[in-house]
Amino acid sequence: MSVPPGTQTLARGLAVIRAVADGARDLRGLVEHTGLGRSTTHRLVQLLVHEEFLRHVDGGYTLGPALIELGFKALHGNPLPVVARPFLEELSEQVHDTVHLGVVDGDSVLYLEKLPGTRGAEMRSRVGHRMPLTRTGVGMALLLDSPERWEELYIADEDRVTVPTVVRRGELAERCAEFCTRMQTYAKSGSAMDLEDNEPGIRCVAAPVRDASKAIVGAISVSATRPYMPAARMRGLVPVVRRSAARISSAMGYREAQAQ
């Protein structure tokens, strides 16, 4: 994607910030990650450190306090996390498993809240992290009202996370059809399930959150490792998660009587 005229320096600076966010820690790593020249990268880093968008620590770079401040402002500019928090805490205490809150961000899920469970392995999800919509319970719940996007997003996510092969391409149409059939079932039930689609050994039950416009504005999920998520428990969690999502929706202005 080409950048608008006159914004190349800004785009380069943003590329450096994203590189640090993705794990690049020193000048060499930043140059390799961004493809920029060493001197250009060094000048950008100096400015970003001066403006506190980056921080120089122990010979490397981390995201700085200015980004943390802006992140909190962006988070609280969206009322959903604030409204949902007490309901998420109550759900977490009830199920003892990891609870997530996410929203659509482009073609990905953006996690706004994560309350870790008290049992099982730690999951790679984190606040501010993005994951594929069609491979996560939260993502599938966010897509329940958007059947026109299921096929397109499924194929795009497959391309992102799977190395293309002739065999895979031959199977893709069948797998995409299976996913769309699965989504139709989820749309009818008002909930979705991650059956280790995103992370081996991790399963979850998710449900959408709506606002006064009746649109899906977020989704919540309960996630746990396979031993704590047998099929029977997943089915039993569906009404629990849907009830919590409904309470958040109500607090966001949604009224069930308005549904057609």
Side-chain angles (χ1 to χ4, degrees):
M1 177 181 176
S2 60
V3 299
T7 64
Q8 188 175 51
T9 300
L10 174 60
R12 289 172 173 174
L14 293 173
V16 170
I17 292 174
R18 291 194 179 98
V20 173
D22 288 341
R25 289 290 174 262
D26 56 20
L27 191 60
R28 180 178 178 179
L30 290 171
V31 169
E32 292 176 352
H33 198 287
T34 61
L36 300 173
R38 186 178 180 87
S39 60
T40 298
T41 304
H42 185 256
R43 289 195 301 272
L44 291 169
V45 166
Q46 285 183 311
L47 174 62
L48 291 168
V49 169
H50 180 268
E51 296 296 328
E52 298 188 324
F53 286 95
L54 297 181
R55 178 185 291 157
H56 191 242
V57 180
D58 297 329
Y61 299 100
T62 63
L63 298 180
L67 285 174
I68 297 173
E69 179 185 359
L70 291 174
F72 273 108
K73 287 181 178 179
L75 184 64
H76 290 287
N78 180 346
L80 179 59
V82 178
V83 171
R85 182 72 190 196
F87 301 106
L88 298 178
E89 290 176 345
E90 183 178 323
L91 179 61
S92 177
E93 291 176 3
Q94 179 182 355
V95 299
H96 306 294
D97 297 312
T98 300
V99 172
H100 292 106
L101 169 69
V103 296
V104 172
D105 184 34
D107 292 341
S108 301
V109 175
L110 173 64
Y111 287 97
L112 299 184
E113 285 281 10
K114 177 183 179 180
L115 282 64
T118 58
R119 58 189 181 181
E122 175 61 20
M123 298 164 200
R124 60 181 177 172
S125 59
R126 63 183 184 273
V127 174
H129 190 51
R130 291 172 177 81
M131 287 188 179
L133 282 162
T134 63
R135 285 179 168 254
T136 56
V138 166
M140 286 183 271
L142 288 165
L143 291 173
L144 293 185
D145 285 357
S146 306
E148 73 283 355
R149 300 191 69 197
W150 294 347
E151 181 176 345
E152 166 203 346
L153 287 170
Y154 180 82
I155 294 173
D157 286 343
E158 284 290 290
D159 287 339
R160 273 199 286 172
V161 301
T162 308
V163 177
T165 66
V166 173
V167 174
R168 191 187 73 80
R169 289 297 182 188
E171 298 173 347
L172 186 57
E174 181 179 348
R175 290 164 58 182
C176 185
E178 290 174 354
F179 172 78
C180 291
T181 298
R182 181 177 165 190
M183 287 295 295
Q184 289 171 354
T185 301
Y186 291 160
K188 290 177 183 177
S189 71
S191 62
M193 293 183 180
D194 176 349
L195 304 174
E196 303 180 49
D197 301 281
N198 187 52
E199 195 171 351
I202 303 297
R203 298 177 174 183
C204 84
V205 176
V209 173
R210 302 177 184 273
D211 66 5
S213 72
K214 298 182 282 187
I216 294 176
V217 294
I220 65 172
S221 69
V222 171
S223 304
T225 53
R226 187 191 303 125
Y228 297 103
M229 276 288 195
R233 182 167 187 251
M234 294 185 77
R235 290 192 296 269
L237 278 173
V238 167
V240 175
V241 177
R242 286 188 60 191
R243 185 162 51 247
S244 292
R247 295 174 67 194
I248 298 170
S249 298
S250 180
M252 290 289 292
Y254 176 72
R255 295 294 178 266
E256 185 69 27
Q258 296 175 342
Q260 299 299 315

